[in-house]
Amino acid sequence: MFKRKMIISLFVVLLASMTGILILLFANPFSKEINLSKEAFILITDESVESSTTINIRGTVHNPLLKASYFEGEIEIESLDSTMNNSVVMLVQEKVKGLNYSSFFYGQTFDQGNVLMFFTDDFSEINLLMRDVKISNNTIDFIQVVAPASDEVSAQSVFERMQALYPDIPSLKDLDNL
């Protein structure tokens, strides 16, 4: 009798464990392919160049169990040559209310400028703050690229929605005052 109760208890625990593992596996996709293009707008502090462009994001978001998510692939801004044909790997450093924060460098060296990227889980809204960007043979200290946006007003609207979720997100003006 005791042996039978022990076997049944062991079977119930095993079944519950297997069910928990299956739920965890299905609730947490381990990787997700991303392939999207978004209309974007570039803002520069001195307003010398403001223009619409396109951001192309191709790659994979990896979500390993018990580790930080990361993205491997390409994040290209069509009007910025330094972003083209450069693979990036970015670790999601912080996640607040569905808004992710990451930083990365383009290219193999640090002289091509670094990027702070804020983006929603589904990449529907993107805010890139870029430092030391080459535009038309000039190096610009800071630029901001916001998507989806076609002009300054829509870029500001996207930025304000993101800032409502993540109040510490810096604006271009904040960075220019450093």
Side-chain angles (χ1 to χ4, degrees):
M1 186 69 160
F2 177 73
K3 213 176 194 183
R4 184 176 179 172
K5 283 185 180 181
M6 179 70 112
I7 291 173
I8 291 173
S9 297
L10 218 56
F11 179 73
V12 168
V13 169
L14 182 63
L15 185 62
S17 298
M18 295 283 286
T19 302
I21 289 170
L22 286 173
I23 289 171
L24 184 62
L25 290 175
F26 284 109
N28 184 9
F30 292 104
S31 63
K32 178 181 176 184
E33 292 295 318
I34 303 292
N35 187 6
L36 58 86
S37 291
K38 292 218 169 270
E39 183 178 25
F41 195 74
I42 298 174
L43 299 164
I44 298 176
T45 53
D46 66 4
E47 300 179 4
S48 61
V49 179
E50 290 185 343
S51 63
S52 60
T53 189
T54 301
I55 294 178
N56 299 306
I57 300 176
R58 291 179 301 279
T60 305
V61 175
H62 300 276
N63 296 300
L65 285 175
L66 306 174
K67 294 181 182 177
S69 299
Y70 65 96
F71 172 83
E72 273 185 303
E74 296 176 344
I75 300 172
E76 298 178 338
I77 301 163
E78 287 185 0
S79 57
L80 301 177
D81 291 340
S82 62
T83 68
M84 304 305 274
N85 301 314
N86 281 309
S87 293
V88 298
V89 176
M90 66 176 187
L91 180 68
V92 175
Q93 294 170 296
E94 190 172 357
K95 185 174 186 167
V96 176
K97 298 178 186 171
L99 191 65
N100 302 281
Y101 159 71
S102 296
S103 63
F104 63 92
F105 288 88
Y106 277 106
Q108 301 299 317
T109 63
F110 298 119
D111 64 348
Q112 293 185 34
N114 57 22
V115 180
L116 298 178
M117 183 172 174
F118 298 86
F119 58 99
T120 53
D121 286 336
D122 61 357
F123 287 86
S124 62
E125 294 184 328
I126 301 164
N127 181 48
L128 293 133
L129 296 162
M130 304 174 73
R131 182 178 186 126
D132 299 330
V133 179
K134 291 185 172 115
I135 299 177
S136 303
N137 296 326
N138 294 320
T139 299
I140 309 295
D141 288 339
F142 293 104
I143 70 166
Q144 182 176 16
V145 182
V146 181
S150 58
D151 56 26
E152 187 174 358
V153 172
S154 59
Q156 187 61 33
S157 176
V158 170
F159 176 74
E160 288 171 0
R161 278 195 305 275
M162 294 177 91
Q163 197 172 41
L165 295 173
Y166 191 97
D168 292 336
I169 187 172
S171 70
L172 186 60
K173 291 175 184 153
D174 295 334
L175 295 175
D176 197 43
N177 292 327
L178 292 178

